[in-house]
Amino acid sequence: MLNIVVLVSGGGTNLQAILDAIDNGNIRNARVEAVISNNAGAYALERARSRGINALCVSPKSFEDREAFNRALLETVDGFAPDLIVLAGFLVTIPPAMIQKYRNRIINVHPSLIPSFCGVGYYGLKVHEAALKRGVKVTGATVHFVDEGVDSGPIILQKAVDVLPGDDAKTLQRRVMEQAEWVILPKAIDGIANGEIEMGGRE
């Protein structure tokens, strides 16, 4: 059974997609052991609590400096002995020590087809605003392993989504979530849990 810790900053729609996929059998042999947020008000924590999943907040605001926060975050994650760490809309830089300790065991979902519209400064609606400004006809989402760079780790899965006439950033964001993120993130977790995707490489 793959033991998962999910890190999330906001509402937790990708977390919900994971939980739903576990319920309906699209993710096999895996369980979410804990959900950790940097934001005490994140609705994702309520999603976790309502299902009896450990839900904790580790906020940078509670520590004297980033180094102390990084230590606390790593200690909190370590406490749940995860086989896999899933970044599901986590807007905090992952501590280097965590990347080293959990090399090829941290995955992230990004709302574009990497290498387009990724890297420093590309998160949330900013990704979709950039795609629309560029005039692309196709966008999508990517699940990738996390390394020391920003959105630079090995790609696991990608799924394309059409950009439609009249789209704004919010309508495009919603379509990318529904048609891509909520599809390939559970698929990647299932593949890892069942040995169909190797830790640290492609299928």
Side-chain angles (χ1 to χ4, degrees):
M1 182 70 70
L2 192 77
N3 195 35
I4 301 169
V5 169
V6 180
L7 304 185
V8 60
S9 293
T13 54
N14 278 310
L15 168 65
Q16 190 64 52
I18 294 168
L19 298 175
D20 290 347
I22 290 172
D23 288 346
N24 64 29
N26 285 334
I27 294 178
R28 303 158 292 159
N29 303 317
R31 69 167 180 265
V32 175
E33 183 66 21
V35 174
I36 301 170
S37 180
N38 61 303
N39 174 12
Y43 186 63
L45 295 175
E46 289 303 313
R47 293 182 194 268
R49 291 187 191 107
S50 70
R51 298 176 63 105
I53 296 169
N54 295 296
L56 300 92
C57 174
V58 182
S59 171
K61 297 174 184 175
S62 302
F63 300 90
E64 63 271 19
D65 56 32
R66 184 49 68 109
E67 189 176 328
F69 163 75
N70 286 346
R71 283 197 303 271
L73 180 61
L74 181 54
E75 288 170 5
T76 303
V77 169
D78 284 347
F80 295 103
D83 301 307
L84 182 69
I85 299 168
V86 178
L87 309 185
F90 191 57
L91 303 180
V92 175
T93 301
I94 300 301
M98 185 182 293
I99 294 171
Q100 292 164 13
K101 182 168 187 175
Y102 292 96
R103 176 77 61 190
N104 298 330
R105 291 194 286 152
I106 308 174
I107 65 172
N108 178 54
V109 61
H110 181 77
S112 77
L113 295 174
I114 292 174
S116 297
F117 313 115
C118 66
V120 176
Y122 285 101
Y123 60 89
L125 280 176
K126 294 178 186 293
V127 177
H128 306 290
E129 288 166 352
L132 290 170
K133 185 175 180 180
R134 185 67 181 86
V136 298
K137 304 304 180 190
V138 176
T139 185
T142 303
V143 177
H144 65 93
F145 288 104
V146 174
D147 62 10
E148 285 79 1
V150 180
D151 302 326
S152 58
I155 290 170
I156 304 170
L157 294 172
Q158 292 184 305
K159 191 172 190 299
V161 175
D162 289 335
V163 179
L164 301 181
D167 268 339
D168 60 24
K170 288 188 175 180
T171 61
L172 185 56
Q173 179 184 51
R174 184 73 189 182
R175 188 178 313 110
V176 169
M177 286 193 297
E178 291 176 348
Q179 296 184 10
E181 293 179 53
W182 299 349
V183 176
I184 61 174
L185 183 57
K187 186 177 179 183
I189 293 168
D190 180 69
I192 291 168
N194 294 283
E196 294 155 10
I197 295 173
E198 292 183 13
M199 295 282 199
R202 293 174 178 273
E203 284 183 277

